[in-house]
Amino acid sequence: MIRLMIVDDHELLRLGLRQIFSEYHDIEVVAEAGDGETAMRLCREVLPEVVIMDVSLPGLSGFELTRRLKTARPVVVLALSVHDASPYPERMMEAGASGYLSKSCSVSELLQAVRTVAKGGRHIGSSIAQKLVLSTMDGSNGTPFDNLSSREMEVLVLLAEGHRLAEIADAMHLSPKTVATYKYRIFDKLETRNDVEATRLAMRYGIGTPA
């Protein structure tokens, strides 16, 4: 029996996933959470084996939540997001996720992914893998964000969502000085001069928009 926790800020999506998994005898949903802090607490209490999570969450992002969960205890993370293009999948895998699916995936692929990562394997959604392969084959450089680290990507997401420096530092459990350093590295890599330019560029690619 695979002990599963669902982390997504949309209640209807959590309900739908719970109903899907209830039809299969080898998967049990032991908890669900709408934000990262609640997920951290429940993970310590109910000890799930696999955590399905969105990338965009209130408070802790999926990137930071994945890092903390992987540090706290042996748990497998499977990302499920509307963001199905680079650099989201790469950065989540760097943070410690074992799989990444688009929310448009089929039920059969979702089930396959859960069972695969629970056994220690990895699973990248078929549509996502195709995009990654095609971007490599056509010689394109992907997006302007491909050179950002997972930490820098998280700071950019929070900036694009309108969070202030102090709020980002608090959410990431970092000092404002460290977050400022990340921010200026982002400006340098994206060739932007300030928050407004970086945010406009991010929003153009759908980064920071509600998932």
Side-chain angles (χ1 to χ4, degrees), residues 92-146:
M92 276 297 285
M93 300 298 277
E94 286 176 5
S98 295
Y100 198 107
L101 290 174
S102 167
K103 285 186 175 179
S104 63
C105 73
S106 66
V107 171
S108 61
E109 184 173 25
L110 175 62
L111 293 168
Q112 177 189 354
V114 170
R115 290 164 178 154
T116 297
V117 299
K119 293 178 181 178
R122 288 175 174 265
H123 186 102
I124 300 295
S126 55
S127 62
I128 297 169
Q130 183 180 35
K131 288 181 180 180
L132 294 176
V133 170
L134 289 175
S135 70
T136 301
M137 291 177 62
D138 65 16
S140 68
N141 294 321
T143 73
F145 317 102
D146 291 346

Side-chain angles (χ1 to χ4, degrees), residues 2 15 26 36 108 133 161 166 171 181:
I2 300 170
L15 177 60
D26 61 328
S108 61
V133 170
E161 290 177 348
T181 298

Side-chain angles (χ1 to χ4, degrees), residues 26-190:
D26 61 328
I27 301 173
E28 178 188 9
V29 177
V30 295
E32 59 180 71
D35 61 84
E37 295 292 350
T38 302
M40 283 295 300
R41 175 178 57 79
L42 288 174
C43 191
R44 290 190 292 266
E45 293 176 359
V46 303
L47 305 178
E49 298 169 84
V50 177
V51 176
I52 292 183
M53 73 166 72
D54 196 356
V55 176
S56 301
L57 295 167
L60 290 179
S61 72
F63 304 111
E64 181 65 16
L65 177 57
T66 298
R67 280 193 291 268
R68 294 192 190 184
L69 288 175
K70 298 295 290 185
T71 300
R73 60 178 306 272
V75 65
V76 176
V77 173
L78 175 62
L80 182 65
S81 175
V82 295
H83 299 294
D84 59 358
S86 179
Y88 280 91
E90 299 99 311
R91 298 302 171 262
M92 276 297 285
M93 300 298 277
E94 286 176 5
S98 295
Y100 198 107
L101 290 174
S102 167
K103 285 186 175 179
S104 63
C105 73
S106 66
V107 171
S108 61
E109 184 173 25
L110 175 62
L111 293 168
Q112 177 189 354
V114 170
R115 290 164 178 154
T116 297
V117 299
K119 293 178 181 178
R122 288 175 174 265
H123 186 102
I124 300 295
S126 55
S127 62
I128 297 169
Q130 183 180 35
K131 288 181 180 180
L132 294 176
V133 170
L134 289 175
S135 70
T136 301
M137 291 177 62
D138 65 16
S140 68
N141 294 321
T143 73
F145 317 102
D146 291 346
N147 291 327
L148 299 184
S149 69
S150 57
R151 286 282 194 178
E152 290 164 351
M153 186 67 188
E154 182 175 6
V155 170
L156 177 63
V157 169
L158 293 172
L159 282 173
E161 290 177 348
H163 296 283
R164 297 180 179 179
L165 193 67
E167 294 173 334
I168 296 173
D170 184 61
M172 297 180 66
H173 289 211
L174 299 172
S175 71
K177 182 178 180 180
T178 299
V179 174
T181 298
Y182 281 125
K183 184 173 76 167
Y184 289 112
R185 286 180 187 169
I186 292 168
F187 292 168
D188 183 58
K189 290 181 179 182
L190 298 182

Side-chain angles (χ1 to χ4, degrees), residues 2-19:
I2 300 170
R3 295 173 57 80
L4 182 72
M5 180 166 73
I6 302 168
V7 185
D8 194 290
D9 59 331
H10 294 103
E11 184 178 0
L12 286 179
L13 187 139
R14 297 199 308 270
L15 177 60
L17 289 176
R18 180 181 283 274
Q19 290 178 336

